[in-house]
Amino acid sequence: LIRREHEPPMPELIINGPAGRLEARYHHEGKPNSPVALILHPHPQFGGTMNNQVVYALYYMFVERGFSVLRFNFRGVGRSQGYFDNGPGELADAASALDWLQLQNPDSRSCWIAGMSFGTWIAMQLLMRRPEIDGFICVAPPANLYDYSFLAPCPSSGLMVNGDKDRVVPSASVAELAAKTKVQKGVKIEHAIIPEANHFFQDRVPDLTSVVGTYLDRRLEELAKAAAKG
């Protein structure tokens, strides 16, 4: 996905985080009750930033579906202040970012979170703490490198997706995570594999956004029908 031609360049946004300022980019959807989405980037110590191509593509995928969307740099990345904290600090950053997003959209009807690699580990920890999150997208969750056992049970349905040529996170580890994670009643974790895609989805980002977009469209339709029933 690319930026809409009529859309002005996004100004730099600074929000207050627990370790100082956090550099961010934000798209505000003007329609009332618009859903919101927060996107978390890959590992800061391995070049992960909010401008990662997958994060960028996910951002615009949500924009195209009428979401207000926020992506930001974790502490110590880009112009964000602070230092890498190996998880706890990054979770606090994400919580502050979600707080900011919700303040801008107090009447939002739905809340989603998405992450890429390390960002999925933080996203899922945030999911466990924030019952208002309706769904998640985990791209290349490093199930073989991080402990996801805190998902006990997982409170929201979502999608885990990885590439079949990923040498960092084997497909089998993601499949096992998706299958073994206990869920609350009515919650379903789905798993998709993108052919010929590596950990960074080089040359396969359109394939990724197609799969994720199809999933998101279906979930949004299901949520809308459930809301209509009251």
Side-chain angles (χ1 to χ4, degrees):
L1 292 177
I2 58 174
R3 183 181 294 136
R4 300 172 186 171
E5 290 183 11
H6 62 271
E7 185 178 58
M10 282 176 296
E12 180 184 87
L13 171 68
I14 297 295
I15 61 179
N16 291 322
R21 68 170 182 249
L22 293 172
E23 181 185 14
R25 295 290 184 275
Y26 174 61
H27 167 83
H28 185 74
E29 186 64 41
K31 296 177 184 176
N33 307 322
S34 297
V36 298
L38 177 67
I39 321 284
L40 305 182
H41 70 71
H43 203 295
Q45 294 193 317
F46 297 97
T49 78
M50 66 176 176
N51 294 321
N52 167 275
Q53 65 172 353
V54 170
V55 172
Y56 186 89
L58 290 173
Y59 180 95
Y60 280 102
M61 185 202 69
F62 279 104
V63 167
E64 293 291 335
R65 285 161 176 78
F67 281 71
S68 289
V69 194
L70 180 69
R71 71 186 200 266
F72 72 96
N73 280 330
F74 286 125
R75 58 184 62 199
V77 177
R79 297 186 65 184
S80 292
Q81 294 178 317
Y83 300 93
F84 178 66
D85 195 43
N86 205 32
E90 287 72 28
L91 176 58
D93 293 344
S96 292
L98 185 56
D99 288 342
W100 185 92
L101 180 59
Q102 291 175 326
L103 281 172
Q104 309 305 310
N105 300 273
D107 299 320
S108 175
R109 68 177 184 270
S110 183
C111 178
W112 281 69
I113 192 162
M116 165 65 180
S117 195
F118 171 83
T120 69
W121 186 56
I122 303 300
M124 298 307 276
Q125 292 178 68
L126 187 61
L127 176 79
M128 293 297 293
R129 290 161 170 77
R130 301 296 277 264
E132 70 272 23
I133 297 176
D134 297 306
F136 65 85
I137 304 294
C138 286
V139 178
N144 57 325
L145 302 174
Y146 289 92
D147 183 5
Y148 285 80
S149 63
F150 57 82
L151 292 170
C154 182
S156 300
S157 297
L159 175 68
M160 295 185 178
V161 56
N162 64 281
D164 71 349
K165 302 297 188 199
D166 191 331
R167 295 186 178 183
V168 179
V169 181
S171 288
S173 67
V174 181
E176 184 177 15
L177 174 62
K180 288 192 172 182
T181 298
K182 291 182 172 59
V183 296
Q184 292 182 7
K185 186 177 181 180
V187 169
K188 183 179 181 182
I189 298 176
E190 298 183 33
H191 177 218
I193 298 174
I194 307 300
E196 301 299 317
N198 64 16
H199 188 65
F200 303 101
F201 292 86
Q202 184 177 357
D203 301 323
R204 290 292 181 270
V205 171
D207 297 341
L208 172 67
T209 52
S210 176
V211 168
V212 174
T214 298
Y215 172 81
L216 184 57
D217 289 341
R218 174 166 54 82
R219 282 293 311 284
L220 292 174
E221 186 177 337
E222 290 170 358
L223 290 168
K225 287 181 178 177
K229 289 182 180 179

